Amino acid sequence: MSRPSTRSKNKRNRQGDNVDTTSEILRKIHATGEVTNEDINTLYKISKPVCQGCRVNTKDNPNCFCGLIPPPNGSRKSGLWQKTSEIMQNLGPDPSQDLRPSADSPAGLTNLGATCYANSILQCLYMNKSFREGIFLVEPEVLERQPVLNQLSRLFAQLHASKMAFIDSSPFVKTLELDNGVQQDSHEFLTLLLSLLERCLSTSKVTKAKSIVQDLFRGSVSHVTRCSQCGKDSEASSNMEDFYELELNVKGLKSLDESLDDYLSVEELHGENQYFCESCKTRVDATRSIKLRTLPDVLNFQLKRCVFLPKTTTKKKITSAFVFPGVLDMRQRLSEPSQLESIYDLSAVLIHKGTAVNSGHYVAHIKDEKAGQWWEFDDEHVSNLGSHPFGEGTSGSNTKPVNVKPESVHPSRTGQINAVSNGDIVDVSHQQPTESISGHVETFSSSDAYMLMYNLRRCRKDDEKVNVEFNANDRKIEGDIVCSSLPSHLCEEIKNFNASYLDACQKYKFKKEEEMNHITERRQEVRSILSEAPVRSLEESFFWISTDWLRQWADNMISPVLDNTSILCSHEKVPASKVGSIKRLSAKAWTKLFSKYKGGPILASDAYCLVCLTEGARNVVCADSYRDRRILMKQVAEDALAGRCSDGEYFVSKAWLQQWLKRKILDAPSEADAGPTASIRCPHGQLMPDQATGAKRLLVPENLWLFLYEDAFAVKPDDHLGCSTFPLDSAQCSQCSDELSEVACMEDSLRVVRLKQRQTHEKLLTGKTVSLSLDCKYYLIPSSWLSKWKNYITASGKNVSSVEKPETLEGIMDLLKCEKHSRLLERPVDLVSKRGLISQKSPPVDGLIIIPESDWKSFCEEWGGVQEKGISAEIELSKTEGNNLAGSCEEMPMCEEDLSTPNPVNGEVESRQLLIRTCPEVSQFS
């Protein structure tokens, strides 16, 4: 059993078949003068079957509605059938995407270009509850006088109670006048910011706010120098210096304990570094060390990962792993025993990602004091890390937790330990028992940790008090309650900000829902009407509709008014020529469209135009006649071009007739048929002489000329000049003939002059090397002028008229001399002396070239030069010491440029010198 053929499915008829059928019907209409219903159905393609499954809409089938909309699961690049997600993008960004996930999730800060260093520090300061509350206590009148404090309090308030997932930090950054495009060091930024805030807060009358920076971040150290002989400390050793962070070395050290040991280590002073002891009255050996006197509530460690390389005078980042504990006991690091607790918990880790010192990216891992959860602050993005600073059960490539053996410090053991701290032996046997650190002491390792922050651990009573206060002042951003811990002016501002933001979210949501409903309704409407559009039988009533309008209605989000004017003829009917631009719409579908979109005009099934059909039939018959005539005239034109025509009576352009023959045979004249004699008509309205450019012509028979004339007149009836008639006896224009004769004479004369100059200056023209003699006189001319002269006298053919004529020599030579000193302004070409022959190198484009005296005289006669005004040059070479050659001149100063080069043949050094007058003030060669 043979396989059924599917090649003819949805296959379109060939265009030629349709044209032949239409032409036959129109010829029949012209012959009989009658139009039948069958003729209408065929000419308007009404009888074509309803199309189904076409990939594109078929133009020659008014019953095809395929391709106007995509398939059920398809989409388009624009319009109604664009992907819904892409349509929603036109509404702009959805503000609800920036909504904070929950009240317990911190907010991020926008990166304005290179402000990640500032964002990380600001997050560390904000997440410190004591510092945040201290800023909120500043009086409004102080904020008005201190723009930095004002913007910082606003920023903290938005981070505290805003509903947005990230806050715009630009107002605060602009107040600090920071450059958004320049990356800065986070440690330096923190130091300068704390110093600035300390000055700004000094004007506050609220005690907690006024000293919040000092209370939280300030500790003290002293630099102790001790005599090794008498054991006394220097007077300066008792001076205490404040610190806000401790800068610790990292290079060669593996952990925070080792860095602290290095920081507090004892330095021996001996030899040239001996110390002058006031008690001993002499220079003695001594020790020097740093002693920690007091520690702040927030202990910051700056890890010095950037080191200076003296050899390259550059900075390098140390990327070695560094271990630090989650709990830090600083009791044995103090110089003197203290009754206060000195146990610190890790609260923040500032990380610098990247290997370069002056670039990279800063992020902060900060612990929430209330929930005990760690968060990663990466500008706008905030991620929960769980109960570990580097994530629960996972670790990055450069940071990871380190499991260590459990340790415990018991009060009973404290009295038996003698600890070495700061180079001192401290007796701690009389210390009071303190709370022990028992259980696992977890440590962490990181190769990118740049700053460590530890918060002082409070006692249990303080913790309970803090928790009660925190719960009482806990922020709530649900409902109307914003935050009772915020001052009134900030609370009101945040309420308004949140209300405005939520209103924007609600408006966007409503607009989105409205747009989605509109899209759904429009798509349903289009699909419904198109499903009812086809007319199933010839007897069923229908209406004509413009395909262009129907396509716009099916594609656009907003449909235009129904418009059928583009398919009307001048008789307000539908002509058969518009069959490719119309569709046959069912009465039901038309009624729905017309009732909703109005417009028109209404074109029922009988709206076909009989007048246009009759005219079309006549045009077809005329086209047949014209095509037959043109085929006949084409054969006559071929005979005329081939010289087989002996009855030629009218002149036409030969080039035009050749192009006319190459054109396809059409049903009517086209614009290319105009102007058969335009190129052989002179400006005076007469026949152009045959010698003129483009005036070639030939004689054609009278019947061909009349055919060409009719076509030209039909295309351009107002162009009488383009179709001038020139019979066989037409005389050529005498004025144009005289002008051509004069031009020919001038060209002949110029041709003789050029030939003579080529013969006179043969060597200069051919570029052959001219040997220079010691006793001859030479002249200098610009090489650019000589190039123009060569182009001018060698031009030929069509290029003669376009070649630029050289300037006169007199004007050119005057430009080469300095008016004040009458010396040259340009350097002449260099000379070469090889094997006894002296010649000149190839001249530069704008340089000077040497020519013999005979050529100079001829040039003066030919190009208007004055012989006496020429720039002469004499060459003289003489033997000096050894086998060297040197030039000299009695009356002209020489150019002092060294021109000596070794001879490639014998190795001797030859010197060539052109003796000229060069201006010492202007010329760079003097």
Side-chain angles (χ1 to χ4, degrees):
M1 184 176 179
S2 61
R3 182 179 178 181
S5 175
T6 58
R7 297 183 61 184
S8 62
K9 183 179 180 181
N10 293 329
K11 184 177 180 181
R12 299 183 185 179
N13 295 326
R14 289 182 298 176
Q15 188 71 20
D17 298 339
N18 295 331
V19 171
D20 292 343
T21 305
T22 302
S23 299
E24 291 176 4
I25 295 175
L26 291 175
R27 290 189 187 98
K28 188 198 76 170
I29 293 174
H30 183 268
T32 62
E34 296 180 356
V35 181
T36 64
N37 289 334
E38 186 179 353
D39 295 337
I40 296 295
N41 291 340
T42 304
L43 292 175
Y44 284 86
K45 299 180 173 32
I46 295 175
S47 58
K48 280 201 169 188
V50 175
C51 192
Q52 294 180 354
C54 292
R55 294 183 180 178
V56 294
N57 188 258
T58 307
K59 288 186 176 181
D60 60 352
N61 186 356
N63 298 316
C64 176
F65 294 92
C66 302
L68 293 177
I69 60 175
N73 295 327
S75 63
R76 289 181 176 169
K77 293 183 178 179
S78 61
L80 178 63
W81 304 99
Q82 190 179 7
K83 292 181 178 179
T84 306
S85 58
E86 296 177 357
I87 296 178
M88 293 300 105
Q89 288 180 359
N90 298 329
L91 299 178
D94 185 357
S96 62
Q97 296 292 328
D98 301 334
L99 187 67
R100 194 181 298 202
S102 66
D104 296 327
S105 176
L109 290 173
T110 55
N111 191 330
L112 306 177
T115 57
C116 57
Y117 68 95
N119 290 345
S120 301
I121 293 299
L122 290 173
Q123 293 284 16
C124 290
L125 295 177
Y126 165 76
M127 292 295 286
N128 187 296
K129 179 178 178 293
S130 299
F131 183 78
R132 178 175 70 240
E133 291 181 347
I135 295 297
F136 288 156
L137 291 175
V138 179
E139 309 93 303
E141 55 271 17
V142 175
L143 296 178
E144 292 179 1
R145 297 193 304 267
Q146 303 292 344
V148 175
L149 271 179
N150 187 24
Q151 291 300 334
L152 183 63
S153 63
R154 291 173 180 269
L155 183 65
F156 278 8
Q158 292 184 37
L159 289 171
H160 189 64
S162 169
K163 289 183 176 293
M164 294 192 66
F166 54 86
I167 309 301
D168 182 15
S169 59
S170 58
F172 179 73
V173 171
K174 289 180 180 178
T175 305
L176 287 179
E177 298 182 356
L178 298 177
D179 189 344
N180 297 345
V182 178
Q183 176 82 283
Q184 297 188 29
D185 181 74
S186 60
H187 165 241
E188 183 180 359
F189 174 73
L190 175 62
T191 302
L192 296 176
L193 180 62
L194 291 179
S195 177
L196 176 62
L197 293 178
E198 189 173 348
R199 293 196 303 271
C200 294
L201 291 168
S202 62
T203 59
S204 175
K205 296 180 180 179
V206 179
T207 304
K208 184 178 180 180
K210 183 176 184 178
S211 60
I212 187 65
V213 174
Q214 301 93 311
D215 294 343
L216 290 179
F217 301 100
R218 188 173 66 183
S220 61
V221 298
S222 59
H223 296 270
V224 178
T225 304
R226 178 170 298 174
C227 177
S228 298
Q229 291 188 7
C230 65
K232 293 183 179 179
D233 295 340
S234 64
E235 294 181 1
S237 299
S238 60
N239 298 336
M240 292 177 39
E241 299 179 5
D242 294 336
F243 72 87
Y244 291 84
E245 68 280 320
L246 297 179
E247 297 186 28
L248 305 181
N249 290 325
V250 174
K251 187 177 181 181
L253 304 172
K254 298 180 180 180
S255 65
L256 181 62
D257 285 338
E258 292 183 10
S259 294
L260 285 172
D261 291 341
D262 175 74
Y263 181 79
L264 301 173
S265 62
V266 178
E267 179 186 3
E268 300 288 342
L269 301 179
H270 51 77
E272 295 181 355
N273 297 325
Q274 279 188 326
Y275 155 72
F276 184 83
C277 180
E278 293 292 340
S279 299
C280 300
K281 302 299 182 183
T282 184
R283 297 180 66 86
V284 295
D285 292 342
T287 58
R288 178 181 296 168
S289 63
I290 298 176
K291 294 184 182 292
L292 292 175
R293 299 301 184 181
T294 60
L295 294 176
D297 288 355
V298 180
L299 185 57
N300 293 337
F301 294 113
Q302 169 62 30
L303 306 182
K304 297 167 66 174
R305 287 194 175 273
C306 300
V307 294
F308 179 76
L309 304 177
K311 291 184 178 180
T312 59
T313 65
T314 58
K315 289 184 178 180
K316 178 184 178 182
K317 179 183 175 181
I318 299 174
T319 57
S320 58
F322 189 80
V323 177
F324 49 93
V327 179
L328 181 64
D329 187 354
M330 292 294 291
R331 289 175 294 184
Q332 298 182 16
R333 301 288 184 181
L334 288 170
S335 60
E336 296 178 359
S338 173
Q339 301 296 328
L340 300 177
E341 199 65 49
S342 297
I343 298 175
Y344 288 82
D345 294 309
L346 182 65
S347 61
V349 181
L350 190 67
I351 294 173
H352 177 265
K353 297 181 178 180
T355 57
V357 175
N358 299 321
S359 61
H361 183 61
Y362 287 97
V363 297
H365 293 191
I366 309 174
K367 186 178 183 180
D368 187 343
E369 296 181 22
K370 173 191 173 185
Q373 295 288 304
W374 282 86
W375 297 86
E376 181 184 55
F377 293 85
D378 187 358
D379 294 328
E380 297 92 344
H381 307 287
V382 180
S383 307
N384 187 283
L385 299 175
S387 59
H388 293 80
F390 299 109
E392 291 279 4
T394 60
S395 62
S397 58
N398 295 325
T399 55
K400 60 181 181 179
V402 179
N403 295 323
V404 298
K405 185 178 180 180
E407 296 179 0
S408 61
V409 180
H410 299 280
S412 58
R413 292 182 56 194
T414 306
Q416 303 173 5
I417 297 176
N418 291 334
V420 178
S421 175
N422 301 314
D424 298 333
I425 299 177
V426 181
D427 185 0
V428 294
S429 58
H430 296 86
Q431 292 187 24
Q432 294 295 325
T434 60
E435 182 183 355
S436 64
I437 307 174
S438 59
H440 290 276
V441 179
E442 191 171 16
T443 61
F444 307 95
S445 174
S446 172
S447 58
D448 285 330
Y450 193 65
M451 183 184 296
L452 304 176
M453 286 189 176
Y454 285 85
N455 284 356
L456 182 63
R457 178 181 293 182
R458 298 178 177 89
C459 64
R460 292 177 181 174
K461 292 182 180 181
D462 292 338
D463 288 342
E464 293 174 359
K465 181 180 179 181
V466 168
N467 289 332
V468 171
E469 292 178 354
F470 194 92
N471 293 330
N473 296 327
D474 192 12
R475 60 190 177 105
K476 297 180 180 179
I477 59 176
E478 304 295 334
D480 296 331
I481 300 176
V482 180
C483 180
S484 59
S485 63
L486 290 178
S488 58
H489 66 283
L490 291 178
C491 184
E492 190 65 27
E493 181 178 332
I494 294 301
K495 282 184 178 180
N496 295 335
F497 179 84
N498 286 338
S500 175
Y501 172 66
L502 292 177
D503 182 60
C505 293
Q506 191 64 29
K507 286 181 178 179
Y508 182 90
K509 181 181 179 181
F510 175 77
K511 188 176 180 181
K512 181 179 178 180
E513 291 176 353
E514 188 179 41
E515 188 72 9
M516 287 298 300
N517 293 335
H518 173 69
I519 293 172
T520 303
E521 291 175 2
R522 280 282 294 125
R523 289 179 177 178
Q524 290 176 352
E525 177 197 26
V526 171
R527 291 189 184 277
S528 174
I529 291 180
L530 288 181
S531 66
E532 301 171 349
V535 182
R536 303 296 175 180
S537 66
L538 295 177
E539 294 76 16
E540 185 180 346
S541 61
F542 65 89
F543 291 84
W544 295 110
I545 192 169
S546 168
T547 305
D548 289 340
W549 182 89
L550 194 64
R551 193 182 301 276
Q552 292 181 24
W553 166 80
D555 274 347
N556 296 342
M557 298 286 293
I558 301 176
S559 176
V561 177
L562 199 156
D563 184 11
N564 274 337
T565 56
S566 62
I567 61 174
L568 295 178
C569 66
S570 58
H571 312 104
E572 300 295 325
K573 298 286 186 177
V574 180
S577 59
K578 293 288 186 178
V579 70
S581 303
I582 56 178
K583 293 297 176 184
R584 187 166 163 255
L585 201 66
S586 68
K588 184 178 181 181
W590 168 262
T591 303
K592 289 184 177 180
L593 286 176
F594 185 73
S595 62
K596 183 173 183 178
Y597 299 105
K598 308 301 179 185
I602 301 173
L603 301 173
S605 56
D606 58 350
Y608 50 83
C609 185
L610 292 178
V611 178
C612 289
L613 277 179
T614 304
E615 292 179 356
R618 182 176 56 82
N619 291 336
V620 167
V621 174
C622 293
D624 292 342
S625 176
Y626 176 81
R627 192 160 45 248
D628 295 338
R629 288 184 62 200
R630 183 150 182 160
I631 292 173
L632 179 61
M633 290 300 105
K634 183 176 180 181
Q635 183 62 44
V636 176
E638 290 176 351
D639 293 341
L641 285 170
R644 296 190 297 267
C645 182
S646 58
D647 57 344
E649 297 183 14
Y650 294 90
F651 287 110
V652 295
S653 170
K654 184 178 181 180
W656 182 92
L657 190 61
Q658 289 172 339
Q659 292 298 322
W660 182 83
L661 278 174
K662 294 178 181 179
R663 288 194 289 274
K664 292 177 63 176
I665 297 177
L666 304 176
D667 295 340
S670 63
E671 290 189 3
D673 294 326
T677 59
S679 61
I680 63 174
R681 180 186 179 278
C682 76
H684 312 103
Q686 300 182 30
L687 186 62
M688 182 79 75
D690 193 39
Q691 298 82 6
T693 304
K696 297 298 180 181
R697 54 186 176 269
L698 53 81
L699 288 168
V700 297
E702 183 178 6
N703 59 346
L704 177 58
W705 166 249
L706 293 176
F707 181 79
L708 297 178
Y709 183 84
E710 289 175 3
D711 284 359
F713 185 79
V715 173
K716 293 185 177 180
D718 299 329
D719 186 13
H720 300 288
L721 300 179
C723 197
S724 301
T725 304
F726 296 110
L728 176 62
D729 56 352
S730 299
Q732 296 183 2
C733 180
S734 58
Q735 187 176 349
C736 291
S737 298
D738 294 341
E739 292 177 357
L740 287 173
S741 300
E742 292 178 6
V743 172
C745 292
M746 290 178 61
E747 290 181 352
D748 291 341
S749 176
L750 184 59
R751 194 177 298 109
V752 173
V753 172
R754 288 175 173 170
L755 177 60
K756 182 180 178 182
Q757 289 193 30
R758 287 198 296 268
Q759 294 172 350
T760 304
H761 310 285
E762 181 180 2
K763 288 189 175 181
L764 290 179
L765 181 63
T766 58
K768 294 181 178 179
T769 302
V770 180
S771 298
L772 305 179
S773 176
L774 299 176
D775 301 325
C776 294
K777 192 171 185 179
Y778 299 92
Y779 285 82
L780 299 174
I781 62 171
S783 59
S784 58
W785 184 91
L786 190 63
S787 297
K788 286 185 179 180
W789 170 80
K790 290 180 181 180
N791 294 335
Y792 181 73
I793 66 171
T794 56
S796 60
K798 298 181 180 179
N799 298 328
V800 174
S801 59
S802 62
V803 177
E804 183 181 0
K805 187 177 181 180
E807 302 90 341
T808 59
L809 279 174
E810 183 175 359
I812 290 295
M813 300 310 293
D814 290 340
L815 297 176
L816 300 179
K817 297 179 183 180
C818 173
E819 295 181 0
K820 184 177 180 181
H821 308 95
S822 297
R823 295 186 180 181
L824 285 180
L825 297 175
E826 295 186 20
R827 169 79 178 166
V829 68
D830 290 340
L831 303 182
V832 180
S833 175
K834 292 183 178 180
R835 300 179 182 177
L837 298 178
I838 305 172
S839 61
Q840 52 188 328
K841 288 185 176 180
S842 299
V845 178
D846 298 326
L848 298 176
I849 192 171
I850 308 166
I851 62 172
E853 185 177 13
S854 58
D855 288 313
W856 168 254
K857 291 180 179 180
S858 298
F859 279 145
C860 289
E861 295 174 0
E862 297 160 357
W863 296 97
V866 180
Q867 186 173 347
E868 290 74 14
K869 289 187 177 181
I871 303 174
S872 62
E874 297 180 4
I875 300 171
E876 181 177 344
L877 296 176
S878 60
K879 288 281 184 177
T880 58
E881 296 181 4
N883 294 322
N884 294 337
L885 296 174
S888 63
C889 179
E890 297 178 357
E891 57 181 355
M892 297 182 184
M894 299 183 195
C895 175
E896 298 180 357
E897 183 182 5
D898 184 13
L899 302 174
S900 300
T901 56
N903 190 314
V905 178
N906 53 25
E908 296 180 352
V909 177
E910 299 177 349
S911 177
R912 65 269 184 205
Q913 196 69 284
L914 181 64
L915 311 182
I916 57 172
R917 297 180 184 273
T918 54
C919 179
E921 292 187 6
V922 181
S923 176
Q924 61 175 328
F925 303 107
S926 59

